[in-house]
Amino acid sequence: MSKYKRRLIKGTNWALAGLLSLLGFTRCGLINPADEYGTPWSSYAIKGAVTDKVTGEPVKDIEVKIAIPDSITPYYSEELKNSWKTTTNGEGEFKLSDTPESYLQEIPIVASDIDGAKNGLYQSDTIYVDYKGAIQTEKGKGWYNGEFTKTIQIQLEEEKPDE
């Protein structure tokens, strides 16, 4: 009986060791430097305003979002990807928080008119943003270096009606 118990315990230990080694490597492919122990990290935000290119007036109800390339989309959660889009307020202002930082040299920002003719029809536009010149807007503590914000201006052209 004791020989049987030793084999059972040894087999169970091998099975558990194998299971733990497989589970221990499942998160290695995800992109998030904050998950790595002892790695300093920062959060990044992009804020700004959307204005009419001709008049300079602010444009409300414009969707502003980060266009993540399909090649890296699976590495981000749906919750995080949904936080990378917003709508401009009455002053045409927006803020995108927790944006990707070093994985993309330039981040594509797409501004689209989603309310139709309600406040005028505007053509969609894509601009590319990097974090050069970003200003620290929140102090950090420990390994967290704080939040850095890049401020941008987006100017949209009104769509011309077909004649």
Side-chain angles (χ1 to χ4, degrees):
M1 203 62 160
S2 67
K3 209 178 210 186
Y4 176 71
K5 285 183 181 180
R6 273 189 253 151
R7 281 188 181 170
L8 180 63
I9 291 171
K10 190 175 182 179
T12 303
N13 286 344
W14 276 99
L16 288 174
L19 182 63
L20 289 175
S21 67
L22 287 174
L23 293 175
F25 293 107
T26 58
R27 291 194 46 90
C28 290
L30 297 179
I31 297 176
N32 187 356
D35 289 341
E36 296 178 28
Y37 176 76
T39 302
W41 63 284
S42 304
S43 59
Y44 294 85
I46 298 171
K47 74 174 188 174
V50 177
T51 58
D52 184 295
K53 191 171 189 171
V54 175
T55 66
E57 293 292 319
V59 183
K60 66 177 184 173
D61 296 329
I62 298 292
E63 181 182 67
V64 180
K65 67 180 179 178
I66 297 175
I68 299 298
D70 291 338
S71 61
I72 63 171
T73 297
Y75 296 111
Y76 297 104
S77 69
E78 287 301 317
E79 180 183 349
L80 190 57
K81 288 186 282 189
N82 287 334
S83 75
W84 293 340
K85 66 180 171 182
T86 189
T87 306
T88 57
N89 63 18
E91 289 79 43
E93 299 169 334
F94 67 91
K95 182 175 181 183
L96 299 166
S97 298
D98 292 324
T99 59
E101 66 280 354
S102 63
Y103 308 109
L104 301 170
Q105 294 300 317
E106 292 184 324
I107 298 172
I109 306 291
V110 178
S112 306
D113 190 351
I114 58 171
D115 70 349
K118 185 177 174 184
N119 63 340
L121 288 173
Y122 288 90
Q123 297 175 7
S124 294
D125 194 15
T126 302
I127 64 168
Y128 294 87
V129 177
D130 61 29
Y131 288 109
K132 293 176 186 164
I135 297 171
Q136 187 170 13
T137 53
E138 177 186 301
K139 297 285 185 201
K141 183 176 180 182
W143 287 107
Y144 177 59
N145 292 329
E147 180 181 80
F148 291 83
T149 302
K150 178 74 176 220
T151 303
I152 63 171
Q153 296 293 329
I154 302 173
Q155 296 181 328
L156 296 181
E157 292 184 29
E158 273 197 85
E159 283 190 19
K160 305 288 185 215
D162 294 333
E163 296 181 28

